Amino acid sequence: MKKISDLDNLNDEIKFSLKKVGINKTKNIFITSNLKEMSKIKLKKNQKLEALYESIVSLAGENFSLFSPAATLELCNTKETFDIKNTKTTMGSFAEFLRKKSGSVRSLHPYWSINGLGKLSKNLKKVSTHSYGVGSPWSVMLDNDFIQLNIGINPERAVTLIHHIECVCGAPYRFNKEFIHKVKLEKKIYEKKFYMSVSYKNTNIKKKYQLNKHYFKELKNKKKLKYFKSKNGIEFWSFKMRDFYDVSKNFFIKNINNYLEFPPNLNLQNKL
């Protein structure tokens, strides 16, 4: 009888957990992660990352699309060139692992790029120069009914989609700022204009202490949020990005400042 290895056990655990949160024949997935709990498993780091990737892809099946964050916000207001091929992301070990995968496509934005593998990854070559809003990678994911998969990090603390929604809904405490940044693309370096929705300075803007909890409470009430904790303590969440968009949009329609602790004093004179 073949001896079951630790790697086999990990593969089984991941696949079982993914199925528990509905990742089975799910074609389009956006994944964000913090793999701290996986560090306790006595396997080489790359083995664990590959096991996670292979498990997701095998369940997604043919014609899958796997998107992940590839942000480099630390480049904002610096003179460091953004190299679309080689600049590392600071969004975690699995995000960097996916970025370096053969065939990956990265959207062109020096601060908030998205990486893609699979069928729809080519769409990231045609997005706008804005980090959020219509025509951005977030718009691509919403239009193609992506599911967001969070591993090891509660989506209440990690759902960048909310900033896309703030942008679309016209949150008054944010404005579109233009940045000029050097980028390297196909061995050429040049300056290009990019845009990002940012908060006003010198105001009393204060995000909710519990950030996105009210959105996910509503998703849970509607039974549209799935959760599972594996035997090794790895937590998994999943939800349709369109469901989150619809729920959050309604909050903004009722109260444009719902993401904040209180309505800010936006006396905007001389604050742009």
Side-chain angles (χ1 to χ4, degrees):
M1 182 179 293
K2 183 182 177 182
K3 184 178 179 180
I4 302 298
S5 69
D6 288 339
L7 185 56
D8 289 329
N9 288 332
L10 178 59
N11 280 322
D12 290 343
E13 179 179 349
I14 292 172
K15 287 181 181 178
F16 182 78
S17 302
L18 290 172
K19 288 178 181 179
K20 282 289 186 179
V21 294
I23 305 300
N24 192 14
K25 297 182 180 179
T26 304
K27 296 299 181 188
N28 302 331
I29 302 168
F30 173 71
I31 181 168
T32 186
S33 61
N34 181 332
L35 304 182
K36 180 178 68 174
E37 291 299 325
M38 271 197 185
S39 66
K40 301 173 185 177
I41 300 172
K42 294 181 180 180
L43 288 167
K44 291 181 180 180
K45 180 180 178 180
N46 209 62
Q47 284 182 304
K48 291 182 278 190
L49 297 176
E50 191 67 42
L52 180 56
Y53 171 74
E54 291 295 338
S55 295
I56 294 170
V57 170
S58 66
L59 289 178
E62 194 177 355
N63 295 324
F64 75 92
S65 297
L66 182 61
F67 285 16
S68 55
T72 46
L73 288 165
E74 70 281 2
L75 297 187
C76 192
N77 295 321
T78 72
K79 294 182 180 180
E80 185 177 344
T81 298
F82 172 70
D83 184 335
I84 193 169
K85 184 176 180 181
N86 296 309
T87 297
K88 295 179 180 179
T89 179
T90 53
M91 301 304 288
S93 59
F94 192 55
E96 178 62 7
F97 173 84
L98 294 175
R99 185 194 70 80
K100 292 166 69 176
K101 272 282 184 187
S102 176
S104 70
V105 176
R106 191 181 197 176
S107 62
L108 182 60
H109 197 288
Y111 316 135
W112 241 117
S113 59
I114 296 293
N115 188 76
L117 288 159
K119 184 177 181 180
L120 297 177
S121 61
K122 62 183 181 295
N123 291 14
L124 294 177
K125 295 180 179 181
K126 301 178 286 185
V127 295
S128 74
T129 52
H130 200 296
S131 55
Y132 313 116
V134 176
S136 72
W138 306 99
S139 182
V140 170
M141 288 186 270
L142 287 168
D143 289 345
N144 287 282
D145 202 24
F146 270 66
I147 281 181
Q148 179 160 331
L149 171 64
N150 281 46
I151 301 178
I153 184 166
N154 193 315
E156 292 177 10
R157 313 293 301 181
V159 59
T160 305
L161 180 58
I162 190 61
H163 301 312
H164 169 83
I165 297 166
E166 287 177 307
C167 187
V168 171
C169 291
Y173 48 86
R174 285 185 172 269
F175 69 100
N176 293 322
K177 184 173 181 178
E178 181 179 273
F179 296 85
I180 299 175
H181 204 101
K182 286 184 179 179
V183 297
K184 184 177 180 181
L185 185 63
E186 296 179 352
K187 298 182 180 181
K188 294 182 180 179
I189 296 176
Y190 56 95
E191 288 188 338
K192 186 174 176 66
K193 292 179 179 179
F194 295 93
Y195 302 87
M196 189 160 64
S197 175
V198 298
S199 296
Y200 289 103
K201 290 183 178 180
N202 305 316
T203 63
N204 63 340
I205 295 170
K206 195 169 187 178
K207 294 180 182 179
K208 280 188 179 294
Y209 293 113
Q210 296 182 321
L211 290 177
N212 305 291
K213 189 169 185 176
H214 53 307
Y215 308 129
F216 285 101
K217 182 179 179 181
E218 184 67 12
L219 268 186
K220 190 174 180 180
N221 288 341
K222 291 177 176 290
K223 298 183 178 180
K224 292 183 177 181
L225 176 65
K226 296 178 181 179
Y227 169 79
F228 182 73
K229 188 173 184 178
S230 76
K231 63 183 180 182
N232 273 307
I234 306 167
E235 295 182 284
F236 295 76
W237 293 262
S238 77
F239 56 93
K240 285 188 175 183
M241 297 177 81
R242 174 58 65 179
D243 287 341
F244 180 82
Y245 179 93
D246 290 340
V247 163
S248 303
K249 178 188 66 177
N250 288 335
F251 275 94
F252 279 92
I253 290 171
K254 293 173 184 176
N255 175 11
I256 197 70
N257 294 307
N258 79 92
Y259 189 65
L260 307 179
E261 280 294 316
F262 47 79
N265 178 5
L266 291 179
N267 181 17
L268 300 183
Q269 296 297 324
N270 302 319
K271 288 187 171 64
L272 294 180

